[in-house]
Amino acid sequence: MISSRFARPVLVAAATLLAVATFGQDFANIPASEPSITDWMFDPVTPIAHGVRNNALFILAITVPYLILPQVLLFYCIWKFRKRPGAKPATFHDNVQLEVLWTIVPALSLVVLAIPSYKLIKFIETMPEPDVRIEVTGRQFYWEYRYPDHGNIRISDEPLVVPVRKNIVADMTSADVTHAWWVPAFGIKMDTVPGRYTQVWFNVEREGWFKGQCAELCGALHSKMLIDVHVVSQEEFDAWIEMKKREFAGE
Amino acid sequence: MSILLDKPKEPEGGKSLPRFPEQPIKPYRRPNPIYNVLGSTDHKVLGLLYLALSLFMGIVGGALAGGIRAQLASHNLEVLSPELYNQFLTMHGSIMIFFVIIPALAGFGNYLVPLMIGARDMAFPRMNAFSFWILIPSAVLMFASFGVQGGAASAGWTAYPPLSLKEFSGGPGVDMWILGVHLAGVSSITGAINFIVTIMNMRAPGMNLMKMPLFCWTWLVNAWLILIGTPVLAGAVTMVLLDRGFGTNFFKPAMGGDPVLYQHLFWFYSHPAVYIMVLPGFGMISHVLAAFAHKRIFGYTGMVWAVGAIGVLGFIVWGHHMFTAGISAELRLYFSFATMVIAVPTGVKIWSWLATIWGGTLEFTTPMKFALGFISLFVIGGISGVYLANVPFDMQVHDSYFVVAHFHYVLVGGSIMSIFAGTYFWFPKMAGRKLDERMGNAVFWLFLIGMNATFLPMHLVGLQGMARRIWQYRPEYAAVNSFISLGYLLMVAAGALFVYSVIEALRRPRDCDEDPWKINDVQKSLVWTTPSPPPAYNFARIPTIGS
Ligand SMILES: [Cu+2]
Ligand SMILES: [Cu+2]
């Protein structure tokens, strides 16, 4: 198909540009010490995130045939049925069995696909007995966290600190416009809606820093509404709480 | 189906049809040729005006995308201020939807539906002109808002309150945006009424609904979607307007209002809007594939039912845009299920297109290339849609670049590709000359590669956690985003070459006969029996369709 005088130089130029763009990039500007936000798929850290990852792979397994088959058939047609001298086009234009087949089979696949994800919704939506409760409030353009069971201490515009391997239940709301609290490694995104409470839970299986970001357009500095979560041991968490309580009392 | 142009059938049962004059009706021509365009009520002139508007606005909307891609070319640039960036993304979305895709499809509908059903014009020619011309003040209102205090609307094309309320979007930008949406909505609704009445009442004798070309079916369903959905959108944005200027409290949480209610109303229109933007494209793709495979459309009846099913189901799935909005788990289960059901009729269309070209003698003209490319891209957009229908996965990637990738595969890979296919296919009919095939080949490859280079990597950064609508981003995403911005340049090159080839074609003398593609021996469409371009009032005598 690529036969014209126009297309060939254009293609070469395009390929060169794209290659330069990919490989000429300066990867060094990413600080190596910080954990990356990008690898939740390979490194989920909560039961929900594991569930979402497995669910995504399951959908992939079911849908890949539907992704590949039409493309293969398309290229087969392009290759096989190109106009050749003397060839006569076929004249069929209906085949009821075939049409029933390609309605029923995908429909059944979708049922298979839906069942595990419905189970997972139930798992996500069932709040466990909380070990630590927090309240998340979205504000233009920072996050405010409250610990109602720990002297109601409040922190804003600084990293959320939670203990490792504990059930954290978060009640979320917003003080101004709708925001969304999203930490990919936790498999959680939930809108914080003014005048409403939404709820999520997570249980992080290892210590470390986890990144996230506001995911609902909330104004000019929406992109600066970053989320950092510091997951620490229970002892460190207790110490941190004590420190914050003193800070709070001293204010 | 064959077409008997010469022997009008006498109706049975003695009821006589109105007699049509034997000679073409001479339209009244005003002395100044400008009036013949500006004052025209001819469906063909209006169709071309729609297409011209769409092309012009496509350049504007594409330029806004250029601002966005320049800002995002690396992670910490300040090409645009954050405020201006939000205005650009809002207007990019609004313009592409309301002034590029919808008018382009309205343009094809206006031009082709009367020709396809053997009518001399749309049912209400003057309302047809009104539908087009009211788009101009609508566009002007939206554009002028860039010049007012506070700039254009910047709350996204979704305009979610409370962000779009006075407290957070102070200037008149949002008000002008809402009034622009109102006018565009009036245009859509009057246009839809016109299509429904035309298709239901003005088909040539003998053309029953199940003999009607598929493009007319897609427009009929589309018109109903517009007619049912658009008033709800108008209501929702009016409530925002009232909250902003007239002291009502529909969406103000402090006064007992509910921002989530707006989301329900907005998506009740805006999910069907996706189909409004792609159904007529489905119709065009069917015609192009059949034409250059030299076969008839496979599974016509199934295709009609699939389009109807998509139309009905389109109205009961809006909640899939709200899986993270805090709606109940039961509601999410329902919306998830209903959304997946839509994949079935959509799949029927894909399989039927493949069966349409199966066994044909494929001619790789430019429109055919766009149609084949459409299948490939639309499958990708459809499959990522199945992913997004799954609540847990959607809750992870909702409002991320994965979603941006998904809907650009549907709207660029689907709608825009079908608009390109339709333009290259019917341009000879509309203008009497073909667009240059060699340039067409280059436009196709540039666009196909540019489109994939732009939107395929967006799946990746979305999966990696990059939120959409952000002005700057974490440095992890910089490499992929630079690549994306270069992909955009390829699409610009395709667009520029396309515009040039249109100008080049229009400078040549007309040289096309009735059937310039030599396809009508199999297709038997009335469109290709009229001269290129068709005369005013299309048919000297209303044709009769035999069985
Ligand atoms: Cu925010
Ligand atoms: Cu939708």
Side-chain angles (χ1 to χ4, degrees):
Chain A
M1 279 190 329
I2 315 165
S3 55
S4 101
R5 278 192 294 145
F6 278 97
R8 211 164 272 157
V10 160
L11 283 182
V12 171
T16 319
L17 260 179
L18 296 179
V20 168
T22 337
F23 301 113
Q25 269 289 326
D26 177 18
F27 284 95
N29 56 12
I30 302 165
S33 58
E34 289 181 43
S36 172
I37 187 176
T38 60
D39 46 10
W40 70 271
M41 265 281 193
F42 306 102
D43 195 14
V45 296
T46 65
I48 291 178
H50 278 283
V52 172
R53 198 266 303 261
N54 295 341
N55 186 244
L57 295 177
F58 179 72
I59 308 170
L60 186 69
I62 302 251
T63 52
V64 148
Y66 294 101
L67 185 64
I68 304 292
L69 187 63
Q71 314 278 3
V72 169
L73 291 175
L74 181 66
F75 282 98
Y76 178 76
C77 287
I78 289 171
W79 171 73
K80 171 85 185 185
F81 301 116
R82 53 176 56 244
K83 190 174 191 175
R84 295 190 170 84
K88 283 262 175 296
T91 52
F92 67 87
H93 51 75
D94 269 311
N95 184 332
V96 176
Q97 279 111 339
L98 201 58
E99 289 174 63
V100 169
L101 188 75
W102 69 43
T103 310
I104 301 285
V105 174
L108 292 178
S109 312
L110 286 169
V111 173
V112 175
L113 190 134
I115 292 166
S117 74
Y118 288 2
K119 279 191 192 145
L120 187 55
I121 298 175
K122 191 155 179 247
F123 180 67
I124 295 173
E125 287 300 315
T126 313
M127 297 296 144
E129 202 48 46
D131 297 314
V132 177
R133 290 198 299 141
I134 55 173
E135 285 174 18
V136 179
T137 307
R139 289 176 184 276
Q140 283 180 326
F141 297 94
Y142 61 92
W143 299 97
E144 187 180 279
Y145 304 106
R146 229 178 242 280
Y147 294 76
D149 299 339
H150 299 81
N152 211 16
I153 56 173
R154 187 186 64 194
I155 55 175
S156 45
D157 210 8
E158 57 180 287
L160 173 69
V161 179
V162 291
V164 72
R165 283 185 294 278
K166 288 281 160 25
N167 289 331
I168 320 290
V169 174
D171 290 301
M172 304 184 156
T173 190
S174 165
D176 37 50
V177 303
T178 307
H179 304 270
W181 198 81
W182 182 26
V183 179
F186 295 179
I188 284 173
K189 178 184 297 107
M190 187 50 76
D191 287 8
T192 67
V193 186
R196 284 194 179 211
Y197 277 94
T198 49
Q199 212 174 31
V200 299
W201 71 276
F202 53 92
N203 185 328
V204 190
E205 60 198 29
R206 64 179 164 77
E207 294 171 31
W209 286 88
F210 300 96
K211 295 184 192 175
Q213 140 97 58
C214 175
E216 181 67 63
L217 179 63
C218 58
L221 294 180
H222 166 51
S223 63
K224 295 296 159 192
M225 246 180 107
L226 302 176
I227 297 168
D228 289 283
V229 183
H230 193 192
V231 180
V232 297
S233 67
Q234 184 68 44
E235 297 76 52
E236 278 175 278
F237 178 71
D238 292 337
W240 180 81
I241 288 284
E242 285 313 311
M243 182 193 84
K244 280 289 164 189
K245 272 184 184 162
R246 279 197 302 277
E247 222 175 81
F248 223 55
E251 256 172 22
Chain B
M1 176 181 13
S2 68
I3 296 159
L4 310 171
L5 278 178
D6 298 322
K7 287 182 231 155
K9 253 207 299 204
E10 283 304 319
E12 292 134 43
K15 259 208 295 179
S16 66
L17 289 167
R19 291 279 162 191
F20 295 103
E22 300 289 311
Q23 293 301 314
I25 303 165
K26 282 255 162 31
Y28 170 65
R29 295 222 159 243
R30 293 174 183 81
N32 188 337
I34 289 289
Y35 283 121
N36 288 326
V37 175
L38 298 187
S40 176
T41 56
D42 183 333
H43 71 100
K44 297 185 291 298
V45 175
L46 288 166
L48 293 174
L49 284 171
Y50 268 112
L51 290 171
L53 175 74
S54 165
L55 180 59
F56 174 75
M57 294 305 258
I59 295 167
V60 175
L64 290 173
I68 293 172
R69 282 324 314 172
Q71 168 62 34
L72 296 179
S74 190
H75 62 103
N76 55 0
L77 302 179
E78 274 192 62
V79 178
L80 306 173
S81 69
E83 291 82 9
L84 196 57
Y85 177 80
N86 285 354
Q87 294 172 31
F88 268 45
L89 72 85
T90 302
M91 296 306 278
H92 166 71
S94 309
I95 284 172
M96 289 302 195
I97 292 164
F98 295 117
F99 299 107
V100 179
I101 296 180
I102 292 178
L105 297 174
F108 282 111
N110 261 302
Y111 200 100
L112 294 171
V113 165
L115 286 171
M116 284 181 170
I117 63 175
R120 286 189 165 136
D121 205 320
M122 298 288 281
F124 306 116
R126 257 182 284 189
M127 188 164 85
N128 202 14
F130 170 78
S131 303
F132 170 76
W133 288 107
I134 199 159
L135 277 176
I136 306 295
S138 169
V140 168
L141 257 177
M142 283 209 185
F143 266 114
S145 67
F146 271 112
V148 299
Q149 186 228 337
S154 60
W157 88 279
T158 48
Y160 277 9
L163 185 58
S164 57
L165 298 183
K166 203 97 197 163
E167 203 183 340
F168 305 103
S169 301
V174 174
D175 302 305
M176 294 168 82
W177 181 88
I178 289 172
L179 294 173
V181 170
H182 278 154
L183 295 181
V186 169
S187 160
S188 283
I189 292 171
T190 51
I193 292 169
N194 221 339
F195 277 110
I196 294 170
V197 175
T198 305
I199 293 172
M200 295 315 291
N201 296 301
M202 295 178 65
R203 279 168 286 125
M207 182 179 281
N208 63 35
L209 280 173
M210 291 313 276
K211 278 187 198 163
M212 188 166 73
L214 211 47
F215 178 71
C216 303
W217 260 111
T218 56
W219 244 111
L220 181 62
V221 173
N222 196 32
W224 277 106
L225 295 185
I226 292 172
L227 197 58
I228 296 168
T230 312
V232 178
L233 173 74
V237 295
T238 304
M239 287 154 90
V240 172
L241 191 71
L242 295 177
D243 271 12
R244 287 174 60 83
F246 299 91
T248 58
N249 303 305
F250 294 113
F251 306 128
K252 290 176 194 158
M255 313 294 278
D258 183 5
V260 178
L261 172 65
Y262 174 85
Q263 300 183 18
H264 281 291
L265 296 172
F266 178 83
W267 290 112
F268 182 84
Y269 165 79
S270 295
H271 181 79
V274 175
Y275 299 112
I276 290 171
M277 289 185 275
V278 85
L279 280 184
F282 285 176
M284 298 199 283
I285 292 294
S286 296
H287 288 294
V288 172
L289 289 173
F292 295 110
H294 301 275
K295 281 181 64 196
R296 284 173 54 191
I297 292 169
F298 181 91
Y300 172 89
T301 314
M303 293 279 234
V304 170
W305 280 102
V307 170
I310 291 171
V312 172
L313 291 169
F315 276 114
I316 56 171
V317 298
W318 74 89
H320 61 217
H321 297 271
M322 302 166 60
F323 285 157
T324 67
I327 60 175
S328 75
E330 293 77 15
L331 214 48
R332 277 181 267 174
L333 283 182
Y334 159 72
F335 280 122
S336 165
F337 172 75
T339 304
M340 283 192 221
V341 171
I342 290 201
V344 176
T346 311
V348 168
K349 308 229 44 133
I350 304 264
W351 303 124
S352 302
W353 286 322
L354 289 168
T356 299
I357 57 174
W358 191 273
T361 50
L362 306 193
E363 252 185 293
F364 299 112
T365 57
T366 306
M368 185 63 162
K369 284 176 199 160
F370 274 105
L372 296 168
F374 164 96
I375 296 181
S376 179
L377 299 177
F378 194 74
V379 166
I380 297 174
I383 295 287
S384 60
V386 172
Y387 273 77
L388 293 171
N390 274 269
V391 178
F393 185 79
D394 180 80
M395 287 177 73
Q396 176 73 309
V397 298
H398 176 78
D399 266 327
S400 80
Y401 262 86
F402 189 86
V403 173
V404 179
H406 160 71
F407 69 72
H408 279 96
Y409 265 85
V410 174
L411 294 179
V412 179
S415 308
I416 301 288
M417 289 291 279
S418 66
I419 289 167
F420 267 123
T423 306
Y424 275 94
F425 186 47
W426 282 293
F427 191 89
K429 177 55 63 184
M430 296 170 173
R433 343 44 179 168
K434 283 188 185 178
L435 288 164
D436 185 83
E437 278 289 302
R438 279 180 316 168
M439 274 193 274
N441 189 46
V443 170
F444 169 74
W445 284 106
L446 276 172
F447 195 79
L448 185 78
I449 295 169
M451 189 276 166
N452 280 298
T454 308
F455 301 117
L456 200 59
M458 286 186 184
H459 291 105
L460 178 68
V461 283
L463 280 174
Q464 289 181 335
M466 182 171 169
R468 67 188 279 208
R469 293 170 161 176
I470 52 177
W471 166 69
Q472 289 183 344
Y473 47 87
R474 297 194 189 255
E476 286 93 324
Y477 311 121
V480 178
N481 271 286
S482 310
F483 181 92
I484 291 172
S485 290
L486 287 170
Y488 164 81
L489 292 179
L490 293 182
M491 292 170 73
V492 171
L497 190 56
F498 171 74
V499 172
Y500 173 76
S501 80
V502 169
I503 295 168
E504 184 272 335
L506 293 179
R507 294 169 69 114
R508 274 186 267 130
R510 287 181 184 155
D511 58 355
C512 287
D513 60 6
E514 288 86 352
D515 181 17
W517 296 107
K518 306 288 169 265
I519 45 147
N520 215 28
D521 51 329
V522 182
Q523 301 308 315
K524 308 224 187 303
S525 165
L526 286 173
V527 175
W528 303 109
T529 62
T530 58
S532 306
Y537 299 111
N538 305 341
F539 301 101
R541 177 191 289 158
I542 297 293
T544 304
I545 311 303
S547 50

